[in-house]
Every structure is written in C-alpha cells, then in structure tokens.
Amino acid sequence: MRSTDLDNRHYYCHYLQWPTAVGHFSKEVRSMESLESFRQEVRSWLEENCPASQRLPRDGETPLPWGSPQAVEDAKLWLERCANKGFTCPSWPAEYGGGGLSNEQEKVLRQEVAAVGTQLPGMSFGTHMLGPVLLELGNEEQKRRFIPDIIHNRLTWAQGYSEPGAGSDLAGLQTRAERVGDEYVINGSKIWTTGANNADWMFCLVRTDPDAPKHDGISFILFDLKSPGVTISPIELISGASEFCQVFFEDVRAKAENLIGEKNKGWAIAKRLLQYERTMISGMGGGGGPRGGAKRKRVAKRYRSMADMALPYVGEKDGKLADFALRDQLTQTEMDTICLTLTTKRVGEEVKAQKGPGHTASMFKWYATELNKRRQEILTTALGTQALGWEGEGFQAHELAHTRGWLRSKGNSIEGGTSEVQMNVIAKRVLGLPD
Amino acid sequence: MALALTEEQKILQSTAREFISANAPVAHLRGLRDSRDATGFSRDLWKEMAKLGWVGLTFDEASGGSDLGYAELAVLFEECGRTLAPTPFLSSAVLGAECVRRGAAEPLRAQILSGVAQGETLLALALDERAHFAPYVIETKAEKSGEGYVLTGEKGFVLDGHVADRLVVVARTSGAAGDRDGVGLFLVDRLAKGVTVSRTGMVDSRNAARVRLDRAPAEAVLGEVGGGADVLDAALDRGTAVLCAEILGLATEAFEQTVEYLKTREQFGVKIGTFQALKHRASVMFAELELARSIVRETMNAIDEDGPDVPALVSVAKARCSDVGSLVSREMLQMHGGIGMTDEADIGFYLKRARVAELTFGDASYHRDRFATLQGY
C-alpha cells in the first residue's frame, strides 16, 4: 500500500504545515513594508473571500448543512479563490502561480486562516508530493505545464510506485517502458495505487534499462490514465474499504517529454518524493498555532480523549478508570502523543532553515503510524465486543466506524514504506550505521 | 518559548560540556567510589561550579543568583548527566533551594540562598519513608515545643543527607499517612541535638543517607504549618524536571557510545552495526530519545512560564525519561557484550545511575498514574 490514507490521517495530521521554500517574493508582497501589513492584508482578504460555509460559524450564524448544494458550490469557490492567490501552495514561486511567500509570511497566512476557523483547500498528491519534486527537479516546460494545474487542483494524481513483486524492495520494480519515437510504450502493473479509479494522471516509476543494476535503470514519467491500454481494478481491504487499486498497463503510450529528470536516473527522484510523502503521512511541521504577536498563555490542557471513549465501556472505580492495566496503557499512549507532537514542533524549529524534509521524516512516519495502531488496539480493548461489530443492528455508528478504523490502521505502517524500511533509513541515514 | 535551543543556550551547553568533561568525567565518580571518599563529591569542583554561577543560576539577584530559567539549568543538568558527575546540584540548588525560596521568610531566605549560590551551604530534602515514592505518606511527627517544633521520625534515601548543612524535613502536624493536609516543611540543622545521619551506600555510588530524628528542634517552618504540600509539590516538580534533564544527558551519552561501538566492533568478519537486529533497536532508541528531548524542553518552558500545566508535563517527562534511561542503559550493556559486564568499562556506571534515577521521585508507572489522576480519570 503505497500511498497515504486520507481517512486515517486526521489522527496525526492536525498540525500539518509544509516546510517552505525560501525567498520568492511576489511583487505584491515585496511592496509590503512589513509582516504586520501582510497580516492585515491577509485578514481582510479572508474576511471578503472565505465563504461562511467554509469556516466555523460565528455567533448568531446558522451553519449550512455539510454537503448541501450551497456548501459544495462554496467549497469550489473557496478553492478557486485560494488558487488564484496561490494560497493552495503558499511557498511556491509566484511565476508558476504559487503564493511566493516567505517562511514567515506563510506562517502568518496559516495563523490567520486558523483564526477564522478554516483551512487552505486543495491538499493533494499534487501539492504535497509531485509538485515539490517537479519544482526541485523538473525542467522549465514541465513546471509550466503541470504546476499551475496542481495549484488549481485541475488534475487528480495517482502514484505508480509499488508493484506486485516490488513492495519494500521498490527498486526491484519491473514495469517496462521502451522508447518508440517520441513516446515510451509501457507494459506491466502497479498495485496499492490510492484512488487510481478516480485519478486523471499518474506519476510512475518505470524500468527503462533492464540490463542496468536495479537502481540505475529506473525513470520517473507522467502520463494520462485515460490512455488506451490502462485497466484499473479496485482492491477490497480487510476493513471493507476499496481505496486502493491495481493498475495494468498494456502498450500504454506516454510522451517522452513527460519523463522527469534524466532517463534511467529516476531513482533519486523517487526517493525525494518518498521523503515528501513520509512527511505528509506523519503530519510533520509547525502548524497554524495562535495568532502571531501575542504571547501564548499556558493553559492546563486536557489529555483524556481516549479515557472519555473508554469510560462508558470500562466504568469507574474511585474516580479512576476501572481497568488499571488499560488505564496505564492508555495513559502511555496519550503521553507519547504529546511527546511526538512536541517533537514535530521542535524538529520543525531546528530545520527551519533547511529546504524540504530530511531523513527524520522516517522517524516521524514510523512513530506516528505505530502510535496510531497502538491507539486503535487499546480502544478496541476498551470498547470490548462493541468494537467488533461489522454491520447492522446492535452497534452505534461510532462503534462500527471504530471496527473499520482499527482494521484500516494496520496498513498505516505498511503504506508509504513499512516501519521496518523506515528503521533501516534511520539506521543508515541518521545514525550512519554501515550497510 | 522555543523548543530548539537558543544561541545563548548552545553557548552555555558547549561551555558546560567542556568544563564537565575536563573536571568531572566518569573517572571522577569512579575515583570517589574507589577511594571510598567520605563526602562522595568534590567540594572544590562544587565551589568551581558556584563560581561559574551555575549553582545559583535560577536564584534572584538579591540571593546571589543569575535570575536565569530552568531551560538554562536543564542544559547544565544534561551535561552533568553525560558524565554522571556527582554533585549536590539537585539536592541543594533545586530541591532544598526551592523549598527555601518558596517557604522561608526574609532575611533567612536570602541568607540561605546566597550561601547555597556561593557553594558554601548544602541542603537536603528529607522526605521518603517508604521504599516506593509516596510524598504524602509521612509519619514523621512535628510537635509543638515552646515557641517552635520538635521532629520525631525516620527518613530514607535523603539525597546528599550526610553532607548537607541543613535538612528540609517533611513532617506531619495532623492527619494520617497519605493525607496531603497536615504535612509541613521544617528546616533542621544537621548537627542539632536529636539528629542522627548515616550514609547509605547506593549502587550508583551517589550520595544518600538515612536520617533519624528524635525530638530534633526545627529552626524554622517553611511555608505554613500543616500546609506545606504546595511548596513541597512545587519543589518536587522542579527537582523531577531537572532529574529528567540529567537522565536525558545520561541516555544520550550512553546511546552515542553504543552507536559508535556498533560502527567499530567486528564479528563474523563484519561490523556488528550491519546487523538489522541491532540497527532496528538503535533506531528505536533514537526515536524514543528524540521524544524525551522534546518533552524535557517543554517542561522547562512551562516551569519558566509558571504554567498550570507543570505537574502534568513533569509526569509526562518523568514517565518517559525513566523508561528511556532504562531502555538505553540496558541496551548499552547488551550491545557491548561481555565488556559491558566488567567494572573496568564505564557501562555499568550508566546502568546503575539510570536505575536509581528511574526510581527517584517515582518511576514511570507512578507518573502515569499521577498524570491520569490529574486528568480526572
């Protein structure tokens, strides 16, 4: 399972902020005298442009029902308005339609966005995986061709990485691409492709030199999934969901100009994209946080969301969760969540100057996914047999959702590189242990 | 406040590392142990640390301090932890000093604190009465006698008790063992009549003592009679926080030495660091340590901002640091193989100190229980 699971991501993704590229100021922004005037500008822009249904209701407002026709229209409008400002990709260069904001400006933008109770729309595989890689490693034509579409969310991308015979050993991939004229002809199959049945295009790893050592014969190419010869079949998972597909290629033709970087040098691009993916999965980054300027006042936060879920099932004894072993495990999970959140914040501060994610992305990916699995296991224990319903009568909606969520969480530590692969990366790249 | 170290804190860190590694490497502790040194620490070294302004780092200027924060103090404790430097830092400059700072009236307060800051006066907190940390389980009695109080009872695991000039004794004027109310803090001269202090040899070669009190006179009450728990809790939270920083330093050093060993030791004709079984365990330790570093920093920030979240964060930090110190020191020994079992190697010193620090002020299970209780479940 290669790609991220958007359903499960809210468990560890609530402080997502993308590490930003530095330096590209739009003319508009350059003319601003200070961050404070930028903040004022953002604030009034949000006031005028963020539809009421796309933010938290204010006092006296009645929220539109979620999914109502008006709300769906508003969501489109909000995406379009943000995309026109480049705010879907705030740090990307303005020349391709990005926001052109500095790190500090992006932080201000996210603070103001959080302050009105909304989010920047349009987060996708394009904005968080392909886009950053294209900006770093694509050529000028490719950037002009694809970056604006990513910013405006005009194309949905699928990630063609894993194959039936190439999971953790991704570089063992066998999908062939042969040059014929100004095209590549692709044959083979990809698996665990998230949302391929709803995607428009694929960024795909293909073998362009079968005789070279396995890391040296790979290329990174983009093509239209509506092309003749593409067959897509959804895969049913243990949780009952079918978000992943197997994709088959039979003489699929891709334009040679859409090969990114050099032919046979695609492995480096593939790895770079994986770093972005791990960062997205683990939700690394600083997060919107409070409105800037004012000093945050410390409050005694409540860390008892798991206990609140467990209490109706486990009961209380002397004011304490009645199952002491469960209480201990649950507390450890709450504590580890606090520590992980603080660590993303700290590492975010420490690498602020660095461009893009580093190898600690593997640590966050590993820890966040294992922690989520642990949380799901403990809650399953806490809910007892009410956590084991599959469908129908006798279970509340949240209990049935828990069953599915618990099963789905098992894939967290497989997709995007298994926990074992992440630990190999930490050992090699962070600790410098020998091969 | 930031979680990453500031430039000033980085300078303090490198200064401290240089000073500690030159003056108090592990060999320093080993020497004190082997010579059965009567004080168990070096007064000269302690005076030097006082001169550097470290001892009074967090004291106000009127008390001869530098008025810096726990974020800075933690940097020093981390460095002391790296070499297991045995000093009365925790007992005098944090536990004792916090009780005095919060509970003593002037001019006694400034007089004692400036003595501590100069490295002249040593303090110790006489609290524990059981083998397991339970700060309100106090049976030591404080009885009214004339204008003041006399204390009767027995205390164990009193850190630096046998070298302290003054003891802060936790004793009860009312209520039963386990009650938070009725507990008070009493300042006692170690040389006073009715005070018997005997050193207890600990596995980590650090200082601890038993204190017997037989109608020993208190020279002052710190805080309110019978209402000392607020001061005690605040002092214990701060003592626990810096102990976490010490464990973090100890574990970081143990981890770095272990990774280095994996890169150099050869078996079966290859470096043992090539084995995946060891790589993964090293990666686990790396991540657990990174998480410990973050919670230690956040706890110090909360203390410096005097936040209402201090007790909860201290418990998160101590639960994690207790576990991480234990994990890393045990793995250090196992991954070093037979040499880790020898007294000649320093590895045993790390394991022993980690185990004592793990239990000091409550182990991981104690702090998970405390955290859950604070959260109301």
Side-chain angles (χ1 to χ4, degrees), chain A residues 63-104:
Chain A
L64 278 174
W66 192 249
S68 68
Q70 182 63 48
V72 171
E73 277 309 300
D74 283 355
K76 278 188 202 156
L77 186 66
W78 176 227
L79 172 65
E80 190 187 319
R81 284 174 176 170
C82 284
N84 287 339
K85 284 290 272 191
F87 284 173
T88 50
C89 301
S91 66
W92 291 10
E95 55 181 313
Y96 305 113
L101 304 188
S102 67
N103 281 344
E104 287 306 308

Side-chain angles (χ1 to χ4, degrees), chain B residues 41-358:
Chain B
F41 77 107
S42 160
R43 275 191 197 276
D44 290 343
L45 175 67
W46 184 240
K47 289 271 173 63
E48 282 298 313
M49 288 169 67
K51 267 190 207 151
L52 288 167
W54 291 3
V55 181
L57 196 78
T58 58
F59 301 2
D60 56 33
E61 284 174 20
S63 308
S66 312
D67 225 354
L68 287 171
Y70 271 77
E72 285 75 31
L73 191 62
V75 168
L76 300 180
F77 269 86
E78 215 181 307
E79 292 309 314
C80 290
R82 276 186 176 265
T83 65
L84 311 173
T87 71
F89 216 175
L90 171 59
S91 54
S92 289
V94 183
L95 289 174
E98 283 288 350
C99 290
V100 169
R101 188 172 79 76
R102 288 160 188 274
E106 297 292 4
L108 184 66
R109 179 180 176 279
Q111 181 211 319
I112 295 178
L113 289 180
S114 54
V116 172
Q118 286 162 31
E120 301 290 342
T121 306
L122 297 181
L123 304 175
L125 177 66
L127 169 68
D128 287 359
E129 299 186 4
R130 301 287 162 88
H132 291 275
F133 183 68
Y136 314 132
V137 178
I138 301 296
E139 289 180 17
T140 297
K141 278 192 178 58
E143 295 164 296
K144 193 89 185 146
S145 168
E147 292 298 294
Y149 286 85
V150 291
L151 313 177
T152 303
E154 191 167 338
K155 298 286 185 181
F157 197 47
V158 180
L159 304 179
D160 295 306
H162 73 295
V163 291
D165 301 294
R166 282 172 155 127
L167 305 169
V168 177
V169 178
V170 185
R172 185 172 288 288
T173 46
S174 65
D179 291 349
R180 193 171 184 274
D181 286 340
V183 166
L185 303 178
F186 300 86
L187 197 64
V188 175
D189 187 328
R190 180 175 58 94
L191 301 175
K193 190 168 157 286
V195 180
T196 315
V197 179
S198 51
R199 186 179 183 184
T200 40
M202 302 301 293
V203 70
D204 63 348
S205 309
R206 298 276 279 262
N207 284 338
R210 291 200 77 77
V211 174
R212 285 186 192 80
L213 303 154
D214 182 12
R215 294 188 64 77
E219 54 179 316
V221 180
L222 304 179
E224 287 172 39
V225 177
D230 288 346
V231 172
L232 176 64
D233 286 348
L236 282 173
D237 275 340
R238 282 148 187 81
T240 308
V242 296
L243 181 63
C244 288
E246 185 195 323
I247 299 173
L248 176 64
L250 172 168
T252 304
E253 179 67 28
F255 175 67
E256 288 172 5
Q257 286 185 22
T258 305
V259 169
E260 203 46 46
Y261 189 71
L262 297 180
K263 290 178 189 174
T264 47
R265 170 73 173 169
E266 290 190 14
Q267 287 287 278
F268 305 104
V270 294
K271 304 274 191 279
I272 61 172
T274 58
F275 300 137
Q276 198 177 39
L278 298 182
K279 279 183 174 171
H280 284 192
R281 280 154 63 189
S283 300
V284 169
M285 286 193 274
F286 170 75
E288 299 294 358
L289 264 171
E290 285 299 300
L291 267 64
R293 197 173 313 286
S294 310
I295 185 64
V296 166
R297 301 256 172 85
E298 176 70 356
T299 304
M300 301 306 163
N301 288 347
I303 289 173
D304 288 335
E305 292 168 37
D306 206 15
D309 50 350
V310 167
L313 289 175
V314 164
S315 279
V316 179
K318 186 56 169 51
R320 167 155 286 273
C321 288
S322 289
D323 282 344
V324 171
S326 169
L327 171 74
V328 176
S329 60
R330 285 182 287 113
E331 288 285 54
M332 182 192 204
L333 198 153
Q334 177 67 22
M335 290 187 185
H336 277 81
I339 190 145
M341 286 301 293
T342 65
D343 184 67
E344 190 189 352
D346 288 339
I347 295 159
F349 282 85
Y350 283 87
L351 180 91
K352 291 165 179 174
R353 178 59 192 154
R355 201 66 169 91
V356 174
E358 180 188 347

Side-chain angles (χ1 to χ4, degrees), chain A residues 252-292:
Chain A
V252 174
R253 292 181 172 264
K255 282 187 185 163
E257 67 196 38
N258 291 332
L259 188 143
I260 309 300
E262 280 179 58
K263 185 183 176 185
N264 297 331
K265 297 276 171 64
W267 183 243
I269 303 174
K271 282 197 298 182
R272 188 66 183 149
L273 189 135
L274 282 178
Q275 285 188 334
Y276 282 107
E277 179 181 5
R278 281 163 196 157
T279 306
M280 177 165 99
I281 293 177
S282 58
M284 179 189 161
R291 212 157 213 173

